Amino acid sequence: MSYSIPSVLTVAGSDSSGGAGIQADIKTVESMGLYAQSVITALTAQNTLGVYGVFDVVPDFVCAQMDAVFGDIRPQAVKVGMVSSTDIVSAVARGLSEHAAPNVVFDPVMVSTSGSRLISQEAIDALVRELFPLATLITPNIPEAEVLCGMAIETPQDMESAARILFGMTPGAVLVKGGHGAIDADDLLYLGGSCRWLKGKRVETENTHGTGCTLSSAIACGLASGKEVFEAVLQAKRYVSGALRAGFAMGKGNGPLDHMWAHREAFGSLEA
């Protein structure tokens, strides 16, 4: 007897500490019962304290990885994360277009949790021009939305204004993520021409390394499984909230979430 399951492709940078990027994406996809594939756009030397180096993959090899994936186990959804140069942006955009990639969730990674800049201004301009038009959903956090929109975001009303601006850059939906500064952990989904607030409670923890990567991957899992955008986002928020509440403590800085929290709970391996 044989079977298959939906596949999710993650196109992102590698995190040597295992908490964000490709590693977080793979953990998320597998924890949600789907099959993970990857296209690595950059290697990073990083840990929970910061990013110490970024080594970009040659664009032609990014294309080769995408061709290999789509030529065999075709993914039902694609999550795109760190793309740090204009050439890599173009390579990823070309691959997504040539292979008619479905359900593209784009997390415009610009700054790490520790505050390290991960992408050039030229690359930001390129991703808006080349990748945003291919997205089913974009998921900027507040600092990223501020960069993209050229405005300060300090209130819920600011979030709504930013969402409308971002919606003008993409044919898909927009999720502006809360949880930064004075704004609570309420996210704003701009979908079908209207704003929908998704309420959430802030989890008091410093271990948030890879939160954005995890959320976008979890959303891609929902889309790959046949859920509509709204349901996929709600499912992903529940997953990330559980991973933050688990109380994981790894590293000396901003530690990672516990991607396997639900499995530990199910098997009774979490301490009381």
Side-chain angles (χ1 to χ4, degrees):
M1 180 178 179
S2 62
Y3 68 97
S4 63
I5 55 177
S7 168
V8 173
L9 168 63
T10 167
V11 182
S14 175
D15 173 6
S16 52
S17 73
I22 288 286
Q23 285 85 342
D25 296 340
I26 291 174
K27 292 173 184 177
T28 300
V29 175
E30 295 288 337
S31 73
M32 299 186 80
L34 277 63
Y35 185 78
Q37 300 187 83
S38 65
V39 168
I40 298 177
T41 60
L43 305 177
T44 67
Q46 67 174 293
N47 55 28
T48 64
L49 298 171
V51 179
Y52 305 101
V54 177
F55 184 82
D56 287 338
V57 173
V58 177
D60 284 348
F61 196 68
V62 172
C63 290
Q65 293 177 77
M66 295 191 74
D67 290 343
V69 169
F70 279 95
D72 186 15
I73 306 173
R74 182 174 175 80
Q76 281 70 51
V78 181
K79 171 266 174 76
V80 180
M82 179 183 174
V83 280
S84 57
S85 75
T86 56
D87 289 342
I88 293 175
V89 169
S90 295
V92 172
R94 184 166 62 252
L96 294 175
S97 297
E98 289 179 354
H99 295 292
N103 297 318
V104 178
V105 179
F106 183 41
D107 181 23
V109 178
M110 299 176 188
V111 181
S112 70
T113 302
S114 60
S116 300
R117 184 71 176 260
L118 298 173
I119 184 171
S120 67
Q121 182 59 50
E122 293 79 8
I124 293 173
D125 296 338
L127 65 85
V128 171
R129 184 175 62 251
E130 299 185 48
L131 287 177
F132 275 30
L134 304 175
T136 303
L137 174 71
I138 61 173
T139 64
N141 60 28
I142 287 175
E144 291 159 351
E146 288 180 329
V147 171
L148 291 166
C149 297
M151 62 177 285
I153 300 175
E154 300 174 345
T155 66
Q157 291 72 30
D158 291 338
M159 287 179 69
E160 292 187 0
S161 297
R164 292 187 178 93
I165 294 172
L166 291 165
F167 185 68
M169 303 177 186
T170 176
V174 176
L175 180 69
V176 181
K177 299 175 291 189
H180 289 79
I183 297 178
D184 209 342
D186 297 336
D187 298 332
L188 177 63
L189 179 64
Y190 194 89
L191 176 68
S194 62
C195 293
R196 303 183 72 169
W197 281 98
L198 309 176
K199 298 296 183 180
K201 292 185 178 180
R202 187 190 297 267
V203 178
E204 297 302 328
T205 177
E206 295 182 355
N207 298 320
T208 58
H209 183 56
T211 303
C213 304
T214 301
L215 179 69
S216 54
S217 295
I219 295 170
C221 287
L223 296 176
S225 300
K227 289 181 170 59
E228 297 296 330
V229 170
F230 181 70
E231 288 74 19
V233 171
L234 286 182
Q235 173 184 267
K237 276 181 65 69
R238 288 193 293 268
Y239 171 75
V240 171
S241 293
L244 288 168
R245 288 196 306 267
F248 213 38
M250 302 287 286
K252 301 175 182 177
N254 294 115
L257 1 173
D258 184 2
H259 295 91
M260 303 303 292
W261 67 272
H263 299 272
R264 295 188 217 286
E265 284 188 353
F267 289 100
S269 58
L270 287 177
E271 294 183 1

